[in-house]
Amino acid sequence: MFGAGYVGLVTGACFAELGHEVVVRDVLPERIERLQAGEVPIYEPGLDLVLERNADRIRFTLDVREAVEGADFLYVAVGTPPTESGDADLRAVWSVVDEIPLGLEGHPIVVMKSTVPVGTGEHVRARLDGRGLTGVGYVSNPEFLAEGSAVADFMKPDRLVVGAFEDEHADRVLSLFRGIETEVVRTDVPSAELVKLAANAFLSTRISFINEIANVCELVGADVVDVAKGVGLDHRLGPHFLRAGIGFGGSCFPKDVTSLKQLAGNSGYQFMLLHAVWEVNELQKRRVVSKLQKHLGSMRGKTIALLGLAFKPNTDDMREAPSRVIAYRLLAEGAEVRAWDPIAHPDDLQGIELCDSVLDAVRNADAAVIVTEWPELAAIATPEVRDAMARPLIVDGRNLLDPVATRAAGFAYEGIGRPRHASPVEPEAARDPELKL
Ligand code: UDX
């Protein structure tokens, strides 16, 4: 397994769980040392247990030879971040391909887990052939793991997608997943590559769509939570990825939307829908500031507490997190910004004060913004929090709280697409100031 990031570690650990011998190779000495010492360098629920349980079947190394010798499969799970032009940066992929030594025994298969532009497989095939590695196979096996539930997603996937140049190679890769019951999509390499990009772009489209519906809800007095429920119950549409909020982030959606848009553009096609998906997402993050301004006027000299920083709960991942844009937008407007997150403690958010507790973050603040729907934030509308704040204003960027109950608890409340009359609660409960949310 080349790459000890989220994908490489989870996939490696889960292959060990399925009974395979795994060697994980990375180029970062510190990362490998920590893994060798039994530490897990990323936060992913359940991963530590799987690694511990399979410690005798999984090794970590910096050495390519040690990783490839005797290997039947050479899985590539290295990072492919976007470059300044929006193309995928494939340098890490190429260095893996170029490091595969000549004269390996057997016929190992290079299996691509990293998300790559369509056409990469054919380029890798040509490069392997050019290096004389004609006996090494190539298969595209995209991953669909979501952070926070990656181990469960591996063990119970919705589908396995395998794109190969030769049927026998696809068979061999599928044999690795023996024991996992799911639908299998066998196809050619470019189609497998495109499944991954199309799936993530479509999920992103659903999010931007429901965010625009939320914005319309605010103007016409409808409640997006009920609208999404009504829409999602149509079996042709389904309920998933219809939660309105402050936009999507993470290591996949922004990158894959850009990558697919770029790929289409480079091939002579303007993917207009994805341009809109991207723009809507950028605007959605920034709408938090206008919601705050509506209540507070100018941001100059105001103190704002950001509650949650990670791009979603159950991860410490800050890549493309909406919190970054919101924090720097607020700073640019002259606000003082504090932040709290139970797991993510980024050291690159300059000018933002990180707090150890929610209470420290909201003390004397003019507003609190729920940026990530951490479960512990569901109960913040308490008298203690209300009294600690200079102004009890909550902007709920994830529609985590009940609007009526939060207002009844003495807060000014702004959700996303949830106008004032949204989700009535029992009149008795609404009057109870000690109401537990
Ligand atoms: C995603 C895909 O789900 C996964 O299949 C792929 O392999 C990698 O990308 P991940 O980035 O871990 O996984 O997170 P996901 O749970 O999909 O959420 C992505 C972003 O969308 C988050 O910022 C989340 O807050 C946001 N989101 C998700 C919404 O705003 N609304 C929703 O309804 C769902």
Side-chain angles (χ1 to χ4, degrees):
M1 181 67 62
F2 287 87
Y6 277 97
V7 176
L9 276 183
V10 172
T11 312
C14 291
F15 273 146
E17 176 87 356
L18 291 181
H20 305 303
E21 293 286 328
V22 180
V23 185
V24 180
R25 189 265 180 155
D26 202 288
V27 292
L28 299 174
E30 197 220 326
R31 179 156 284 224
I32 292 298
E33 273 161 31
R34 288 181 64 184
L35 285 161
Q36 285 169 338
E39 277 178 57
V40 185
I42 56 169
Y43 179 81
E44 183 59 44
L47 179 60
D48 48 353
L49 292 179
V50 181
L51 284 170
E52 207 181 299
R53 203 162 46 224
N54 296 286
D56 54 341
R57 272 198 292 268
I58 185 159
R59 282 181 287 136
F60 303 95
T61 184
L62 288 165
D63 183 16
V64 186
R65 279 246 158 231
E66 189 184 342
V68 300
E69 229 138 44
D72 300 303
F73 301 92
L74 309 173
Y75 257 86
V76 184
V78 295
T80 52
T83 63
E84 297 289 349
S85 61
D87 295 279
D89 183 347
L90 294 180
R91 276 177 299 178
V93 169
W94 292 125
S95 54
V96 171
V97 172
D98 291 340
E99 276 177 320
I100 299 172
L102 295 172
L104 286 177
E105 274 174 36
H107 294 287
I109 300 175
V110 172
V111 192
M112 190 59 71
K113 266 275 165 223
S114 300
T115 303
V116 292
V118 182
T120 304
E122 279 167 6
H123 289 144
V124 174
R125 181 68 271 160
R127 192 121 150 194
L128 290 170
D129 293 344
R131 291 193 52 220
L133 291 164
T134 44
V136 174
Y138 182 89
V139 167
S140 164
N141 174 215
E143 62 85 23
F144 303 99
L145 310 175
E147 287 176 24
S149 58
V151 173
D153 291 347
F154 183 99
M155 293 299 176
K156 287 196 170 73
D158 287 347
R159 76 298 210 186
L160 288 172
V161 177
V162 172
F165 295 111
E166 307 203 15
D167 278 350
E168 185 241 327
H169 293 160
D171 292 339
R172 278 173 62 198
V173 170
L174 285 169
S175 73
L176 278 174
F177 296 89
R178 205 161 285 143
I180 289 184
E181 295 219 347
T182 190
E183 297 276 341
V184 172
V185 179
R186 289 175 72 123
T187 182
D188 52 69
V189 173
S191 303
E193 291 168 343
L194 192 52
V195 169
K196 168 69 192 237
L197 292 178
N200 278 350
F202 191 45
L203 290 168
S204 307
T205 304
R206 283 177 71 106
I207 298 171
S208 279
F209 180 81
I210 202 66
N211 282 339
E212 290 219 279
I213 293 289
N215 300 342
V216 173
C217 283
E218 288 175 8
L219 296 172
V220 301
D223 182 353
V224 74
V225 172
D226 292 346
V227 174
K229 188 170 178 200
V231 168
L233 283 169
D234 185 323
H235 75 278
R236 295 166 303 177
L237 296 169
H240 303 291
F241 282 71
L242 286 178
R243 274 180 288 115
I246 48 170
F248 57 79
S251 67
C252 284
F253 285 0
K255 180 178 73 130
D256 292 349
V257 168
T258 316
S259 177
L260 183 49
K261 193 156 66 73
Q262 186 79 7
L263 177 84
N266 293 348
S267 316
Y269 180 71
Q270 291 305 318
F271 205 140
M272 296 310 291
L273 187 57
L274 289 186
H275 283 276
V277 167
W278 182 265
E279 281 307 317
V280 169
N281 199 49
E282 288 305 307
L283 292 173
Q284 200 66 13
K285 300 176 212 168
R286 289 159 171 82
R287 279 175 72 89
V288 167
V289 180
S290 39
K291 282 178 188 286
L292 289 166
Q293 282 164 337
K294 187 173 117 188
H295 289 262
L296 303 174
S298 164
M299 287 288 101
R300 197 150 295 282
K302 304 286 177 358
T303 301
I304 311 297
L306 299 184
L307 303 180
L309 287 169
F311 82 97
K312 67 173 192 179
N314 285 324
T315 175
D316 60 351
D317 200 336
M318 286 291 296
R319 285 178 287 179
E320 303 288 335
S323 61
R324 293 183 176 279
V325 171
I326 297 170
Y328 283 106
R329 244 348 333 280
L330 289 170
L331 283 183
E333 291 292 329
E336 201 179 293
V337 182
R338 296 195 204 134
W340 166 88
D341 191 285
I343 307 276
H345 304 297
D347 52 14
D348 62 345
L349 284 183
Q350 266 140 36
I352 285 134
E353 186 192 339
L354 295 185
C355 301
D356 292 334
S357 69
V358 172
L359 215 51
D360 284 348
V362 300
R363 193 165 290 119
N364 295 322
D366 294 287
V369 180
I370 299 181
V371 179
T372 315
E373 64 276 38
W374 285 104
E376 43 270 70
L377 293 176
I380 60 159
T382 59
E384 200 184 9
V385 168
R386 185 190 58 210
D387 296 344
M389 295 180 74
R391 295 178 217 219
L393 166 61
I394 295 179
V395 173
D396 181 358
R398 298 296 184 176
N399 288 342
L400 182 66
L401 309 185
D402 182 308
V404 176
T406 307
R407 288 189 189 109
F411 291 86
Y413 177 86
E414 284 282 336
I416 308 290
R418 311 209 72 188
R420 287 199 66 85
H421 66 266
S423 76
V425 290
E426 295 296 315
E428 280 312 307
R431 275 201 297 275
D432 179 0
E434 297 298 321
L435 187 75
K436 288 264 185 304
L437 293 176

